Structures are given as structure tokens and as C-alpha cells.
Amino acid sequence: MATLGANRYGKSGVRLSRITRFDDRNEFNEWTVNVMLYGDFGASYTEADNSKVLPTDTMKNTVYVVARLSRATTIEDFARELGNYFFDNNVQVSKVSIVVEEKPWLRMIVDGKPDPTTLRMSGPEVSTALAVREKGGDWEITSGVDGLTILKTAHSAFTGYVTDKLTTLKPATDRILGTRATVEWDYAVDNPDYADVRARILSTMLKVFAGHNSMSVQHTLFDMGKAALEAAPEIARIHLSMPNLHHLLASLGTFGLENPNHIFVPIDEPHGTIEATIER
């Protein structure tokens, strides 16, 4: 006999761009939204009864309408607004999960001044927000950044590690340290200034990365997370995933040339992945 287990459904990859027009400037956001609903949907699976199923196409339209009416200035606030709409209009929903990603469009500097209507994309990373709430409960918010691509060409080493008969890696005291980091943090307070917390965390972690005398990715990861906790007392913990972006020294001996750490071959795979959560 088969029974229905845990289930959910929703709409993913809902993309939208929003312009907020002021007298002296335009604000621009580009978001990708994922919606997941949990609730009394069992009959649609077991009895082919769709009477409690909100179409995912309606979810898509809801994203656009809520964005049109929204006064939210952060993806965290928008995620909560959107989730509250689904609760308010669907009694069969018991839990909502909203993910919003935001691309990094920044105001362009023209003749030394920010242009009021022109923007440029600053990098590959996206800001992220996850908002989860069960009916009758409070919103749980996780903010972050995905694809934070950073690299340093000095002050990075890796020595003293375990070696065995399969080890071919040579100790390095002057190597390239690059990563495409994913960072997420949970809040210890309700309704913080999300934008200000994000700015403090990112600027602090980048400063630590730049100035750190790294003995390993683990060493640098911990100090970045520790500094983020100190810079943002509003957060309870921070999780960092930092895969290595390897740059392997090119062999030029065949051509009669030395290579004193000047020419490298970048590779994407395989790569090491280092992850940790730093807590108070």
C-alpha cells in the first residue's frame, strides 16, 4: 500500500525588473523569485482533485502584482510581503518558502557623479534571501550572497598537511588564493536593517580577505566569518562555502624558460570545497 509523504509545489525562476521613479533619480532592481507552498494538497496527488491547488501560473502573476504594489526596498522585505499574500489568500496553505535573488546593478559614475538613470553590473555575485514561515509562526530570514568571486596573488600558503604515498601536491608558501564563495547568515533579531547588515558583512569580509596572511582556505574562512559576526551583532551565525579556484603553475621548462610564479593555468574542476558555520 502506498501513502503520500512530504510534498510541496511552487513556481521557480520568476524573473522581474522593477523601476522605482523619484524626481531626481530612478532606482532599479532585477530579481529572480522562487515560491514553494506547503499545505492541504494531498487530494491532488491521491485523488486527482485539484480544488485546493493554486496554479503555479497564478503564483507567477502574484509575484508581479505584489512587486507592483510593494514598498519594499530589500529582497528580504519583499519576500515577506509576497509570502504574507499567499497566506492571506489561501487558507489551505500551512507553510510558505520564498527565495529571492538580486543582481548587482550599481549606479554608473559619470564625470565623477552618480548618474540618476544609468547603471552597470558590478560582478557575477547575486544577493540572496530565503524567507520561511509556518502558519501562525514568525518569519525566519536567511540572507546571503552567492558567487562572490575574489582572488589574491600573495600572502597565501598551504603547508604542513597530511602526506601519504598518494600525495603529489607540493607545499606552497606563495600561491594564488581564489574562490567563488557562497555566504549565508541567520538573524538574532527581528526586523533588522537588512541592507545595512549586508553592507557591513560584505565590506568586512572583503577587508579581511585582502589583508589576511592565509595559511589555508580554512584559516581565511574562519577569520572572515569571525569578523562578520563582530561587524554585525544582528546575526546569530554565518555559513561560508569557499571552493578553490585553482591556478596551476604552467611548466615552461620545455621552452627553456623559468616560471617564477608568473604564468598559471586556471582550472574549474576538480576543485577543493571548504565549508563551515561560525557561531557566537
Side-chain angles (χ1 to χ4, degrees), residues 9 11 37 50 52-60 62 86:
Y9 81 107
K11 195 73 165 181
L37 302 183
N50 295 327
K52 294 183 179 181
V53 174
L54 181 72
T56 65
D57 188 68
T58 305
M59 295 182 196
K60 175 201 67 178
T62 302
F86 286 115

Side-chain angles (χ1 to χ4, degrees), residues 183-185 197 200-206 208 221-235 237-240 278 280:
V183 187
E184 296 177 326
W185 54 90
V197 171
R200 274 184 275 134
I201 288 175
L202 291 180
S203 64
T204 297
M205 290 195 305
L206 292 176
V208 170
L221 182 155
F222 180 80
D223 281 4
M224 289 172 65
K226 177 183 175 182
L229 290 177
E230 293 171 352
E234 299 93 332
I235 69 172
R237 65 191 60 83
I238 187 167
H239 180 83
L240 295 93
I278 296 85
R280 296 193 183 281

Side-chain angles (χ1 to χ4, degrees), residues 16-259:
L16 71 99
S17 300
R18 182 184 74 164
I19 300 175
T20 306
R21 302 181 188 276
F22 298 92
D23 291 339
D24 60 341
R25 72 191 190 284
N26 290 340
E27 296 292 340
F28 179 80
N29 308 104
E30 183 179 350
W31 296 339
T32 300
V33 182
N34 298 331
V35 178
M36 294 301 296
L37 302 183
Y38 305 71
D40 184 13
F41 306 121
S44 66
Y45 294 88
T46 61
E47 301 174 27
D49 178 359
N50 295 327
S51 59
K52 294 183 179 181
V53 174
L54 181 72
T56 65
D57 188 68
T58 305
M59 295 182 196
K60 175 201 67 178
N61 295 336
T62 302
V63 171
Y64 298 143
V65 170
V66 173
R68 170 63 182 87
L69 301 174
S70 175
R71 295 182 177 273
T73 59
T74 67
I75 53 178
E76 291 86 357
D77 287 328
F78 176 72
R80 295 197 303 181
E81 284 187 3
L82 180 61
N84 286 336
Y85 183 97
F86 286 115
F87 273 123
D88 293 343
N89 293 276
N90 295 274
V91 296
Q92 75 277 26
V93 171
S94 62
K95 180 180 176 182
V96 174
S97 173
I98 306 290
V99 174
V100 185
E101 297 181 350
E102 181 171 26
K103 290 189 175 180
W105 289 103
L106 299 179
R107 201 168 299 284
M108 190 178 294
I109 304 300
V110 179
D111 294 330
K113 297 180 180 179
D115 189 86
T117 60
T118 309
L119 303 101
R120 66 177 181 85
M121 191 171 290
S122 66
E125 74 273 7
V126 295
S127 297
T128 62
L130 167 64
V132 179
R133 179 189 154 203
E134 297 201 31
K135 182 178 288 187
D138 297 325
W139 282 106
E140 297 178 5
I141 307 294
T142 300
S143 300
V145 60
D146 184 34
L148 181 63
T149 306
I150 47 181
L151 180 146
K152 59 193 301 177
T153 61
H155 310 299
S156 172
F158 189 50
T159 63
Y161 47 82
V162 173
T163 61
D164 62 19
K165 63 182 181 181
L166 302 180
T167 302
T168 58
L169 182 70
K170 303 300 182 185
T173 58
D174 186 18
R175 67 171 185 166
I176 294 174
L177 173 55
T179 187
R180 187 182 184 277
T182 299
V183 187
E184 296 177 326
W185 54 90
D186 298 321
Y187 294 91
V189 300
D190 295 329
N191 302 317
D193 185 333
Y194 295 110
D196 184 59
V197 171
R198 182 184 296 277
R200 274 184 275 134
I201 288 175
L202 291 180
S203 64
T204 297
M205 290 195 305
L206 292 176
K207 181 178 180 181
V208 170
F209 181 84
H212 198 244
N213 188 22
S214 176
M215 296 294 103
S216 65
V217 178
Q218 289 89 335
H219 180 213
T220 300
L221 182 155
F222 180 80
D223 281 4
M224 289 172 65
K226 177 183 175 182
L229 290 177
E230 293 171 352
E234 299 93 332
I235 69 172
R237 65 191 60 83
I238 187 167
H239 180 83
L240 295 93
S241 175
M242 294 176 59
N244 269 318
L245 297 181
H246 291 297
H247 295 257
L248 306 182
L249 193 67
S251 177
L252 302 180
T254 302
F255 313 108
L257 293 173
E258 295 183 354
N259 188 7

